[in-house]
Amino acid sequence: MIPPKASDAHDADGNTPSAVSLRLNVLKKRSDFLRAARARRQGTSSMMVQMHNRNDDDPAMRVGFTCSKKVGNAVARNRAKRRMREAARAVLPEFGQKGCDYVLIGRFEATASRPFDLLVGDLRYALKKLHGAK
């Protein structure tokens, strides 16, 4: 099965981009999550966002997702993480900063049930606050 095409636009190589979202650099090591937990954080009604500026030469933005068992069973936690992942794909390229690690933590009932546009708005708000809104 071939993914649907997003538009008639072409990228720099002349290829037509697919509708598949951009790929995120995902945090996997526990030490990266703990480093972010000691850094800046901003809560919203649907999630907690933690940000750690790595201050290294790597310009990549990395993001991690987590939900505790308070969020619900495995199905509920995975649904909440999928929704946060899509929100991050929509928001981080525009509002994220290079060289930063972000951890998005799901909240009980709110992350899975909040309308997606409000979830995206919450993430934008948190990133603006973390980076010192202008």
Side-chain angles (χ1 to χ4, degrees):
M1 179 175 201
I2 299 171
K5 299 296 179 186
S7 68
D8 292 334
H10 298 285
D11 63 9
D13 298 328
N15 298 326
T16 305
S18 67
V20 178
S21 299
L22 83 112
R23 185 154 173 88
L24 297 171
N25 293 329
V26 179
L27 295 176
K28 296 194 190 253
K29 293 184 181 177
R30 184 173 189 267
S31 59
D32 292 332
F33 281 88
L34 293 176
R35 200 171 300 115
R38 290 190 303 267
R40 298 194 64 193
R41 70 191 69 201
Q42 177 65 48
T44 67
S45 58
S46 61
M47 70 182 78
M48 170 74 70
V49 181
Q50 300 171 338
M51 180 197 76
H52 172 252
N53 190 343
R54 293 190 311 271
N55 294 323
D56 60 6
D57 294 334
D58 185 11
M61 255 186 299
R62 300 185 308 175
V63 63
F65 307 93
T66 185
C67 290
S68 74
K69 287 190 175 183
K70 286 182 183 180
V71 171
N73 61 12
V75 174
R77 292 192 305 270
N78 287 334
R79 179 168 191 245
K81 286 190 278 188
R82 277 194 311 270
R83 297 184 87 230
M84 288 190 297
R85 194 173 300 120
E86 286 305 313
R89 281 188 182 117
V91 173
L92 280 179
E94 183 180 351
F95 291 93
Q97 286 186 353
K98 293 183 187 315
C100 288
D101 290 342
Y102 299 97
V103 175
L104 280 59
I105 305 171
R107 291 193 187 270
F108 175 65
E109 291 183 353
T111 305
S113 63
R114 192 156 170 88
F116 188 73
D117 58 330
L118 295 178
L119 189 75
V120 168
D122 287 346
L123 182 55
R124 278 190 191 116
Y125 169 80
L127 291 175
K128 285 179 184 177
K129 291 292 252 183
L130 286 169
H131 295 301
K134 296 163 184 123

